[in-house]
């Protein structure tokens, strides 16, 4: 089941990302629930028109193609952003691997910008997003 409640999904995502805090009323979120438990979530923050920041948290086996299509459809086709930005500590190999597997491109490394070292800035644009191409419907 896909769940669209930032007040439920936001704290769940924030609790899984070191140093992140969820502020109610400032974000939107999409989550996936399986067997009554949240198994994946995306928290979208700081939407300014052309960009939105996305923070992704997932339990093993928590994502599927439908969920991936929905979490990329929302920013590109509903918010109409030109890009999604993700930031990851350089020391978080698992999160970096996930972002790269999803198709995010490393755009910059901010030296000494994280308590554990560097901060990696990733971007995704609609033309490079393979997940929105899998949607079962067309947008007007």
């Amino acid at each position: 089941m896909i769940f669209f409640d930032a007040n439920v999904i936001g704290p769940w995502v924030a609790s899984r990302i070191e140093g992140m805090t969820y502020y109610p009323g400032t974000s939107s979120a999409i989550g996936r629930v399986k067997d009554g438990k949240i198994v994946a979530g995306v928290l979208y923050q700081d939407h300014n028109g052309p960009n939105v920041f996305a923070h992704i948290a997932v339990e093993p086996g928590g994502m599927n193609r439908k969920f991936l299509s929905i979490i990329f459809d929302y920013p590109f086709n509903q918010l109409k952003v030109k890009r999604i930005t993700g930031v990851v500590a350089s020391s978080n190999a698992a999160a970096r691997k996930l972002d790269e597997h999803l198709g995010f491109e490393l755009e910059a490394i901010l030296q000494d910008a994280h308590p554990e070292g560097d901060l990696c800035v990733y971007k995704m644009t609609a033309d490079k997003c393979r997940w929105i191409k899998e949607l079962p419907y067309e947008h007007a």
Side-chain angles (χ1 to χ4, degrees):
M1 175 174 80
I2 306 299
F3 199 71
F4 297 86
D5 187 340
N7 291 324
V8 173
I9 301 301
W12 185 87
V13 171
S15 73
R16 283 154 175 78
I17 298 176
E18 184 180 343
M20 185 174 183
T21 303
Y22 170 70
Y23 297 100
T26 65
S27 311
S28 53
I30 301 172
R32 180 168 181 245
V33 175
K34 183 177 178 183
D35 299 327
K37 296 180 184 176
I38 301 171
V39 294
V42 180
L43 182 62
Y44 304 95
Q45 294 181 312
D46 299 321
H47 175 231
N48 67 0
N51 182 70
V52 68
F53 285 85
H55 307 280
I56 302 170
V58 60
E59 297 293 324
M63 289 197 180
N64 62 19
R65 289 185 181 276
K66 178 181 178 182
F67 181 72
L68 289 165
S69 292
I70 291 168
I71 67 170
F72 287 106
D73 173 71
Y74 174 69
F76 289 126
N77 294 320
Q78 305 301 315
L79 296 179
K80 304 289 188 197
V81 299
K82 294 178 182 177
R83 62 176 285 151
I84 302 168
T85 301
V87 292
V88 180
S90 61
S91 61
N92 190 340
R96 292 184 67 192
K97 183 178 179 181
L98 173 64
D99 280 359
E100 291 167 8
H101 174 73
L102 293 176
F104 283 86
E105 298 175 2
L106 182 62
E107 182 174 38
I109 297 175
L110 308 178
Q111 294 182 343
D112 300 320
H114 189 274
E116 295 179 10
D118 299 337
L119 191 62
C120 299
V121 179
Y122 284 90
K123 75 172 181 176
M124 169 81 73
T125 55
D127 63 317
K128 302 240 175 123
C129 183
R130 69 183 184 268
W131 307 107
I132 57 175
K133 294 174 178 65
E134 296 194 18
L135 290 170
Y137 56 89
E138 295 283 328
H139 283 278

